[in-house]
Amino acid sequence: MTVTDQGAASKEAASVVPLQSVDVFTGAELAAFEVMTPSAVWDALTAARAAATTWSSLGFGARRTALLAWATELSRSQERITHLIHRENGKPVDDAFMELVISLEHIRWAAKNAAAVMRERRVSPGVLMANYRASVRREPFGVIGVISPWNYPLFAPIAPVASALAAGNTVLLKPSEFSTAVGTALVQAFRRANPGLPEGVLSVVSGYGATGAALVESGVDKIEFTGSPGTARRILASCAQTLTPVVMECGGKDALIVAPDADIDAAADAAAWGGFSNGGQTCVGVERVYVHESVADDFIAALARRLENAYAGGFDTATYGPMTVSSQVEVVSRHVQAAVEAGAQLPLGGLDRVRGRMIDPILLVDGDENNASVTEETFGPTVTVKRVRSVDEAIDLANAGEFGLGAAVFSRSDGDRIASRLTCGMASINSVLAFVSIPALPFGGVGSSGYGRIHGEEGIREFSRTKSVSSKRFDIPGMNGMLLSRAPVTMPALRLITHTRFALRNRKGIR
Ligand code: NAD
């Protein structure tokens, strides 16, 4: 089998040269797409704006029906879509199906919960404004630009797209140049499921980074970005010019803590799955393990046992697929080299496990914490394992560094307390990655992992803006202080009320 490079994706091609989606295993062309210029992006935005009025005025009930129809259509097309994911991304078909299942659950959750999340909320007007009705409304932004990575080509875009649509926005989706065929397939499924809707409700903006930059500058009302922190910084600099709001979902370096009272077999199963499924190309994949010294030997042996027959390959019998993007091979190799130079032991082997874009599992045990394999996101099938003297040391090391996406802890008795001390957006206790499959749980990070949240209630709120409404119900004669000509009684009455509510309470020591 020839594993070829999707090298086309690395160049910022002129618009006349189409973007090639290629089979990651053979290099054969799967499809070709327009590299959209700024003016083509502008046309797409115009169509999305026009469709926004229709879509938002449909109301929650009709949008829910349209979204559920989309999920049904995706489910009916599962065979075609999962094989397309396999060819374009490289992951085994069963893993592609898992991705589809989770995507469908997120569509369903957004469809069914948007109305409740965005329901108008009455708040107390307070004593001074007792003659008012006060309420908080949520309204869609208009058009959302969603910019996606390649590692979960279906799920990464679907979760924010579903929330944005459910909230009443239209969406321009910029899939990764490495996953444009899958991104296009999910949009086509939406259109097939909803032939009566204008096309601008959900459209693909295809191209490389320059097309993404054009989308950011096009005048969309909000950007949801999922990708690397470097691209996030460039997008933020651009959004600063127009004060365009953003949600940033960036990389991670997630840690798993194994406490002395952990179920070692369960922790090893979780580290194997969390670190190596999808070839480690998971933003919330396990990249570092901190294991208490009292159970370290057992844990390392159990993990190595689970990995000794695991391998990268092109068939469904393989544990996971190749590195989807060839540049990842250099990153993984550099990190393994750095770990070895920093004294790491290699219970499964080292650089000999790198077979071009097929990389078999590599464990890096007890290296120095200050080398690239620990400080940078690897995004490959390697995990560092470090023995620690105490759980406190494990927590400090887990919290060190620039990222804070997810984290996990294995402990029979202390999981909640340890999880509460981890600086991250999502924590799993006695499992890994479970939060991704619970659509009601918000998802996002701290530090270089980004900010803002997708998924769950917060995810729907991200795609709606707040409007505060104060509505006068009746006049209280003489009590309106917000007039150029106040009644003589107004200010003395206000002073008395203020004195009673604040000065008097404080003198009596009332809090
Ligand atoms: P990337 O940053 O290279 O690209 C992401 C997207 O941004 C692509 O569609 C790309 O075309 C576009 N882009 C590139 N330059 C741009 C620019 N200047 N303006 C606008 N758009 C631009 O990331 P990637 O390699 O596709 O994905 C891997 C990264 O994504 C990893 O760091 C991973 O951890 C992260 N990721 C995060 C999450 C999360 O939810 N936090 C999920 C999946 C992946």
Side-chain angles (χ1 to χ4, degrees), residues 148-151 174 176-177 212-213 226-228 231 250-251 283 377 443:
S148 293
W150 46 263
N151 60 329
K174 158 69 181 79
S176 166
E177 51 271 45
T226 306
S228 61
T231 308
C250 304
C283 57
E377 183 181 42
F443 185 100

Side-chain angles (χ1 to χ4, degrees), residues 81-166:
I81 286 190
T82 53
H83 279 86
L84 185 60
I85 294 173
H86 173 60
R87 304 307 320 180
E88 194 181 38
N89 174 277
K91 69 183 72 184
V93 170
D94 281 352
D95 286 358
F97 183 71
M98 288 279 288
E99 189 176 337
L100 174 68
V101 170
I102 298 170
S103 302
L104 298 179
E105 292 299 332
H106 277 260
I107 295 174
R108 182 195 288 264
W109 195 93
K112 295 202 164 179
N113 289 280
V117 175
M118 290 176 66
R119 185 170 295 135
E120 182 170 351
R121 190 164 49 90
R122 291 277 292 273
V123 294
S124 164
V127 171
L128 281 184
M129 308 296 279
N131 52 330
Y132 279 76
R133 181 171 48 238
S135 61
V136 182
R137 295 181 189 165
R138 303 208 68 88
E139 297 174 349
F141 278 91
V143 182
I144 306 291
V146 171
I147 301 178
S148 293
W150 46 263
N151 60 329
Y152 286 87
L154 193 71
F155 177 61
I158 272 186
V161 166
S163 297
L165 289 175

Side-chain angles (χ1 to χ4, degrees), residues 12 146-152 155-156 174-179 207-216 224-232 234-235 238 248-252 281-284 287 325 328 377 379 403 405 426 443-445 449-450 454-455:
E12 297 294 325
V146 171
I147 301 178
S148 293
W150 46 263
N151 60 329
Y152 286 87
F155 177 61
K174 158 69 181 79
S176 166
E177 51 271 45
F178 296 103
S179 58
Y208 302 89
T211 301
L215 177 62
V216 171
E224 191 282 336
F225 170 74
T226 306
S228 61
T231 308
R234 283 192 285 284
I235 291 174
S238 177
M248 287 293 171
E249 298 293 341
C250 304
Q281 302 166 112
T282 302
C283 57
V284 282
E287 295 219 353
V325 179
Q328 275 306 115
E377 183 181 42
F379 226 52
F403 296 104
L405 196 52
M426 292 82 58
F443 185 100
S449 296
I454 54 174
H455 308 179

Side-chain angles (χ1 to χ4, degrees), residues 65-377:
T65 304
L67 286 165
L68 293 176
W70 181 29
T72 302
E73 179 59 28
L74 284 166
S75 174
R76 287 189 182 138
S77 325
Q78 59 170 276
E79 180 130 356
R80 205 179 72 75
I81 286 190
T82 53
H83 279 86
L84 185 60
I85 294 173
H86 173 60
R87 304 307 320 180
E88 194 181 38
N89 174 277
K91 69 183 72 184
V93 170
D94 281 352
D95 286 358
F97 183 71
M98 288 279 288
E99 189 176 337
L100 174 68
V101 170
I102 298 170
S103 302
L104 298 179
E105 292 299 332
H106 277 260
I107 295 174
R108 182 195 288 264
W109 195 93
K112 295 202 164 179
N113 289 280
V117 175
M118 290 176 66
R119 185 170 295 135
E120 182 170 351
R121 190 164 49 90
R122 291 277 292 273
V123 294
S124 164
V127 171
L128 281 184
M129 308 296 279
N131 52 330
Y132 279 76
R133 181 171 48 238
S135 61
V136 182
R137 295 181 189 165
R138 303 208 68 88
E139 297 174 349
F141 278 91
V143 182
I144 306 291
V146 171
I147 301 178
S148 293
W150 46 263
N151 60 329
Y152 286 87
L154 193 71
F155 177 61
I158 272 186
V161 166
S163 297
L165 289 175
N169 305 278
T170 55
V171 176
L172 293 176
L173 167 63
K174 158 69 181 79
S176 166
E177 51 271 45
F178 296 103
S179 58
T180 307
V182 176
T184 302
L186 74 87
V187 170
Q188 287 171 342
F190 182 86
R191 290 181 178 172
R192 278 200 307 278
N194 297 286
L197 288 173
E199 290 208 336
V201 172
L202 175 60
S203 311
V204 169
V205 167
S206 54
Y208 302 89
T211 301
L215 177 62
V216 171
E217 289 165 13
S218 66
V220 290
D221 301 296
K222 186 160 186 170
I223 288 287
E224 191 282 336
F225 170 74
T226 306
S228 61
T231 308
R233 288 188 190 96
R234 283 192 285 284
I235 291 174
L236 278 171
S238 177
C239 287
Q241 305 306 311
T242 48
L243 294 184
T244 304
V246 290
V247 190
M248 287 293 171
E249 298 293 341
C250 304
K253 190 76 188 171
D254 289 11
L256 184 158
I257 292 178
V258 185
D261 66 342
D263 177 334
I264 297 302
D265 279 329
D269 279 336
W273 167 256
F276 298 92
S277 59
N278 209 35
Q281 302 166 112
T282 302
C283 57
V284 282
V286 173
E287 295 219 353
R288 299 174 292 153
V289 176
Y290 298 107
V291 53
H292 193 273
E293 58 186 3
S294 62
V295 292
D297 287 342
D298 289 348
F299 172 79
I300 293 165
L303 179 55
R305 266 198 310 279
R306 281 156 178 79
L307 297 174
E308 62 196 4
N309 295 320
Y311 68 100
F315 300 101
D316 253 9
T317 45
T319 318
Y320 51 79
M323 298 286 92
T324 306
V325 179
S326 61
S327 57
Q328 275 306 115
V329 177
E330 184 278 323
V331 178
V332 174
S333 304
R334 183 166 54 79
H335 286 186
V336 172
Q337 185 67 36
V340 170
E341 284 164 13
Q345 297 148 29
L346 303 167
L348 292 170
L351 283 173
D352 54 312
R353 304 202 123 218
V354 179
R355 301 177 281 115
R357 276 161 69 169
M358 300 295 184
I359 306 181
D360 301 329
I362 301 175
L363 280 180
L364 305 165
V365 177
D366 284 335
D368 185 83
E369 283 291 290
N370 295 313
N371 76 88
S373 71
V374 180
T375 58
E376 295 174 15
E377 183 181 42

